[in-house]
Amino acid sequence: MAVALDRIRVGSAPDSWGVWFPDDSQQVPWQRFLDEVAEAGYSWIELGPYGYLPTDPARLTDEVRSRGLKVSAGTIFCGLHRGPSEWNSTWEQVSRVAALTQAMDAKHLVVIPSFWRDDKTAEILEPPELTTEQWGHLTRGMERLGREVKETYGLDIVVHPHADTHIDTEEHVERFLDSTDSGLVNLCLDTGHYAYCGGDSVKLIETYGERIGYLHLKQVDPEILADVVKNEIPFGPAVQRGVMCEPPAGVPELGPVLTAAQKLGVDLFAIVEQDMYPCEPDKPLPIAVRTRKFLRSCGA
């Protein structure tokens, strides 16, 4: 019998409906996303790209409540490794997203580092490795962000290791955690991105458990991933090849990840994110229904 995962709150996100951008003709309308995520059996959602869902708090509150949904987090991207000159543009984005997140009674802001390689064109934008000076900018910048987001909006930031960013591999994730204050900055562990970059999610949870503040549930197809790594394929085209696959077909096994997270003894969100931009409009719902059923079989 599966362990009762009573500290894990499962949800889904626009990402699992093929939504990467605020407005894109290849994406399903936001009303359909909300209808279908509720139909699939989820009660928690993320905001997704700012501007995809309504940004008026009163309207969004009505829309989610009418479907029995609640919001767990908002998301921002930032390039704080570039130094203090990045702060103003970062805070401008944060203030919009954090204000809406706070208004929806959510408590988390997911922070994704900026890409060093363009996920559409494959253009190399920056070196994939940071200098020592840039690591200092990144860690100090994230601590400042954590402090000011908490003071201004009452939200906790959770930094999301992500393919084709500077916080990706086990080495980079551990360096980031070892260099930041747990009182200001914790992690959104995305099981798919961490596996994509060669990391072991269960090991990370068991080693750095006090730093795990949030989970994204995702799997990668090992065969497609091997080809992606061999041919240095950027993340966007890799997603189009199906590198992020429907559970339980890929890695890591989500049962052991959830069990390890439950053992931390804290309440954690575990938000399903199956990257599949772009996708056919009728594809996401059946996958979401099957994934929710699978997670229930794991005890979630």
Side-chain angles (χ1 to χ4, degrees), residues 14-20 24-29 32 36 239-240 244 274-287:
D15 184 57
S16 295
W17 267 255
V19 174
W20 277 11
D24 188 292
S25 60
Q26 298 187 83
Q27 298 175 170
V28 297
R32 180 170 179 176
E36 292 189 350
V239 167
Q240 292 179 24
M244 299 299 183
Q274 186 183 341
D275 291 310
M276 47 185 180
Y277 173 86
C279 69
E280 292 299 318
D282 294 336
K283 185 179 178 182
L285 178 58
I287 292 174

Side-chain angles (χ1 to χ4, degrees), residues 53-61 100 104:
L53 294 176
T55 56
D56 174 66
R59 183 175 185 204
L60 184 55
T61 297
L100 183 58
M104 300 309 296

Side-chain angles (χ1 to χ4, degrees), residues 172-247:
H172 288 164
V173 170
E174 292 188 353
R175 179 172 180 174
F176 178 74
L177 291 174
D178 290 342
S179 305
T180 49
D181 182 344
S182 62
L184 299 172
V185 179
N186 285 305
L187 211 66
C188 168
L189 170 58
D190 184 304
T191 60
H193 279 279
Y194 202 50
Y196 185 105
C197 299
D200 180 332
S201 289
V202 171
K203 178 186 171 188
L204 187 69
I205 292 169
E206 291 176 345
T207 308
Y208 286 90
E210 75 284 356
R211 304 300 299 275
I212 307 297
Y214 199 92
L215 295 172
H216 278 170
L217 301 181
K218 191 179 296 177
Q219 286 191 326
V220 293
D221 181 312
E223 291 185 10
I224 297 175
L225 180 63
D227 184 60
V228 164
V229 172
K230 178 183 175 184
N231 293 296
E232 298 183 354
I233 296 166
F235 180 65
V239 167
Q240 292 179 24
R241 291 183 179 210
V243 72
M244 299 299 183
C245 61
E246 179 182 342

Side-chain angles (χ1 to χ4, degrees), residues 137-200:
H137 289 319
L138 175 65
T139 55
R140 288 190 300 272
M142 287 293 192
E143 287 180 334
R144 180 183 176 188
L145 188 64
R147 183 184 300 110
E148 298 203 16
V149 165
K150 186 72 170 178
E151 289 175 355
T152 309
Y153 298 102
L155 306 178
D156 292 323
I157 72 164
V158 281
V159 177
H160 182 321
H162 196 292
D164 288 0
T165 76
H166 295 108
I167 307 177
D168 50 2
T169 62
E170 179 179 307
E171 178 188 359
H172 288 164
V173 170
E174 292 188 353
R175 179 172 180 174
F176 178 74
L177 291 174
D178 290 342
S179 305
T180 49
D181 182 344
S182 62
L184 299 172
V185 179
N186 285 305
L187 211 66
C188 168
L189 170 58
D190 184 304
T191 60
H193 279 279
Y194 202 50
Y196 185 105
C197 299
D200 180 332

